[in-house]
Amino acid sequence: MTALRLTRGRRPSAAVVTLGIACAAALAVPATSLAAAPGDSLPFASAVFRATHNSYSGNVDGSKGSITGQLDSGVRFIEFDVHDNGYATNHDYSIGHNSPGDAVDHTGNPASNLLRDWLQTVSAWSAAHPAHAPLVVMLDLKDDLTDNTSFAAGNLTALNQELRDAFGSRLLMAKDVPGALGTVGSLRGRVLTLLSGDAGTRTEYRRDVGYHPAVAINAQGQVVEVHDSGAGALWYWTGTYGADGRITWLRHGRYDSGTTPAVALNDNGQLVEVHKSQTADTLWYHVGTIGADGEITWSPSHQYDSGVLPTIRFTNGGTTLREVHRSQSNNQNWNWTGTLNAGAMTVSWSANGKTSDALFDTATSTAGSARVSVRTGTDGAAPAQTLLYSTGPVGSDRIRYVQTAFDEYQSGDAAILQEGALFYASTATNSAFITAARQGGHIVRGWDFDSATYATNPLANYPATNHPSDSWYTSLLTQSGAVS
């Protein structure tokens, strides 16, 4: 077969188009993949796209139609309002305006209010239209997710997983974008997710804070970090140490109450954690096991002594431990020898006595050539109690959720949400904010864009309307060169 060559950006003749379509069909390649679509050479931040506000509300609020209908008509920004009410029962988030199901139009849409079903609708359309312009799916978080204390309870790790499950390899994750997003053409077929709404949740997505962080790493590259909240709660992170020295933090959750925790980890993924009570000078321990997904199965807590500043290490293979702590009444250090019973998830303690040995360094752990340290400190706009880690190759980085979604900055948000933000947003009436953000090279959404009088120069990248089929909107977006 003679190869067909089309010049990028040049309009081909009718004969060439006919031949191109025939060849494309024979090769089972979409014809759109053989030539640049209009707008492909535009930088993403310069392009304009059709967008809807409260996309799930269809014709209940506005005149948007179904999600599939919106996408078919060229909309490339979809918004879902998200609640965590009922997560324990549904194992999923729900959509709705003021509450799950509120103002949701099910006509032509999923029958349920579950976020997973609505994401799958978008994903199925994207898979069937692989040459679509980059598609943004925004989650407007109507509830505070920071009080969801585990993956099972629907914290941000669970939300990340749901996004990855929905869009798979088509998902462009924020962590993989070092700066600008490139051109529209380079992002065709990709889905970007964006967090909006509850500012506290969006802030936690960017950083975590705590006190007294401690860490352990094993020869398998598994990492466990524990810390206290400063107000009585004990929290953990688990992660994996990568070939580049970066740690991918997998799971996060609350596991107990107390202060000054420490942790030891063996090569079988079994760990022993020790801490002091928040309200008394008593010492307690947990045994845990890390699963393949990074989740920890914890034993109940058991008291083993009184004292302060507990520290712990495996000393002989994966079963023998040494614990060193300080007396609650003076500077004398004491130690224990422990034997782990992994099956029973208990430790047998023996040989208690005074020691002149120093406390173990809880903030640093090594396994072979791998070394990881944890600390708290400021980091850019992040506060002094921000949890940070370092390895040999990595000087310093935040302990935080995998940056799967992008994080939106809105007028009035804290500096940490503006730091490095690509996406900006405000009401469509805030023309000064939209104009300044666009001139600053940001990707800007103006919501409730329900009148042509809200148009700015330059126009918001995403004029998010409740009436995408109205003639004034279609004319304005066509004149602005909206990309689809």
Side-chain angles (χ1 to χ4, degrees):
M1 179 181 292
T2 302
L4 176 68
R5 184 184 183 91
L6 295 183
T7 302
R8 185 175 179 87
R10 181 177 300 169
R11 184 182 296 276
S13 68
V16 171
V17 169
T18 302
L19 175 60
I21 293 173
C23 291
L27 294 170
V29 176
T32 52
S33 69
L34 296 176
D40 272 9
S41 61
L42 282 173
F44 186 92
S46 298
V48 173
F49 303 87
R50 293 171 179 82
T52 52
H53 174 240
N54 292 345
S55 309
Y56 59 88
S57 64
N59 297 330
V60 170
D61 179 23
S63 54
K64 295 178 280 285
S66 68
I67 296 298
T68 299
Q70 292 173 47
L71 294 169
D72 284 342
S73 68
V75 169
R76 295 296 177 263
F77 185 104
I78 296 293
E79 175 190 349
F80 296 132
D81 289 351
V82 175
H83 300 265
D84 64 357
N85 308 61
Y87 191 95
T89 300
N90 298 324
H91 307 294
D92 196 6
Y93 310 90
S94 298
I95 65 164
H97 192 244
N98 294 318
S99 60
D102 178 43
V104 177
D105 188 348
H106 293 288
T107 305
N109 288 320
S112 83
N113 297 317
L114 299 180
L115 176 62
R116 187 175 291 108
D117 294 337
W118 291 74
L119 293 178
Q120 184 54 44
T121 296
V122 178
S123 181
W125 184 92
S126 172
H129 301 81
H132 66 72
L135 173 58
V136 174
V137 178
M138 190 194 82
L139 305 183
D140 188 345
L141 304 174
K142 295 298 187 181
D143 294 335
D144 181 0
L145 302 190
T146 65
D147 56 1
N148 297 347
T149 58
S150 67
F151 181 92
N155 68 5
L156 285 163
T157 308
L159 185 61
N160 274 347
Q161 185 65 54
E162 189 156 327
L163 296 176
R164 291 194 293 269
D165 288 346
F167 300 112
S169 61
R170 284 172 286 117
L171 180 65
L172 178 63
M173 294 198 283
K175 74 179 183 66
D176 296 326
V177 178
L181 280 162
T183 65
V184 170
S186 69
L187 297 173
R188 282 198 173 271
R190 303 304 296 273
V191 178
L192 293 72
T193 54
L194 178 65
L195 299 184
S196 183
D198 185 72
T201 303
R202 288 185 287 130
T203 299
E204 183 173 278
Y205 196 69
R206 301 294 297 275
R207 58 94 185 109
D208 193 16
V209 294
Y211 295 78
H212 310 115
V215 71
I217 183 172
N218 66 14
Q220 311 305 319
Q222 294 176 308
V223 180
V224 178
E225 184 274 344
V226 291
H227 63 272
D228 68 64
S229 67
L234 291 172
W235 294 82
Y236 71 91
W237 286 93
T238 66
T240 56
Y241 185 100
D244 60 356
R246 294 200 171 275
I247 298 174
T248 299
W249 299 100
L250 301 174
R251 292 292 175 94
H252 176 49
R254 180 175 176 175
Y255 65 96
D256 204 346
S257 298
T259 187
T260 59
V263 64
L265 175 66
N266 69 20
D267 291 344
N268 295 320
Q270 297 152 348
L271 62 96
V272 177
E273 178 273 351
V274 291
H275 63 270
K276 189 184 84 69
S277 167
Q278 177 70 11
T279 57
D281 291 331
T282 53
L283 301 178
W284 300 75
Y285 81 91
H286 288 273
V287 173
T289 302
I290 306 176
D293 57 3
E295 194 59 78
I296 297 177
T297 301
W298 294 95
S299 74
S301 61
H302 304 279
Q303 184 180 352
Y304 67 95
D305 204 349
S306 296
V308 298
L309 301 176
T311 66
I312 193 164
R313 285 282 192 278
F314 277 103
T315 59
N316 182 15
T319 57
T320 304
L321 300 133
R322 188 174 185 226
E323 186 273 354
V324 181
H325 65 270
R326 185 158 297 163
S327 168
Q328 69 272 31
S329 55
N330 54 50
N331 290 328
Q332 177 63 53
N333 287 349
W334 292 76
N335 70 178
W336 286 94
T337 295
T339 302
L340 172 65
N341 184 328
M345 298 189 77
T346 59
V347 175
S348 298
W349 300 99
S350 62
N352 177 226
K354 295 179 180 179
T355 180
S356 59
D357 292 347
L359 302 175
F360 292 119
D361 177 7
T362 61
T364 299
S365 181
T366 60
S369 61
R371 179 180 183 274
V372 58
S373 296
V374 293
R375 63 184 178 89
T376 59
T378 57
D379 183 60
Q385 291 309 128
T386 300
L387 294 168
L388 304 169
Y389 80 90
S390 60
T391 64
V394 177
S396 183
D397 201 358
R398 296 177 191 175
I399 299 173
R400 61 179 178 179
Y401 295 100
V402 173
Q403 300 295 282
T404 300
F406 294 84
D407 216 338
E408 187 177 70
Y409 170 72
Q410 297 183 7
S411 178
D413 277 344
I416 191 170
L417 291 174
Q418 187 176 19
E419 183 182 68
L422 299 180
F423 290 84
Y424 279 44
S426 73
T427 59
T429 56
N430 192 348
S431 58
F433 178 89
I434 291 172
T435 301
R438 284 285 275 122
Q439 291 173 342
H442 300 289
I443 304 158
V444 187
R445 173 176 69 103
W447 72 82
D448 275 336
F449 191 96
D450 290 335
S451 170
T453 61
Y454 298 153
T456 53
N457 185 20
L459 186 66
N461 305 84
Y462 293 106
T465 186
N466 293 293
H467 303 278
S469 299
D470 283 10
S471 59
W472 68 266
Y473 186 80
T474 57
S475 295
L476 176 64
L477 272 289
T478 299
Q479 292 166 10
S480 301
V483 180
S484 60

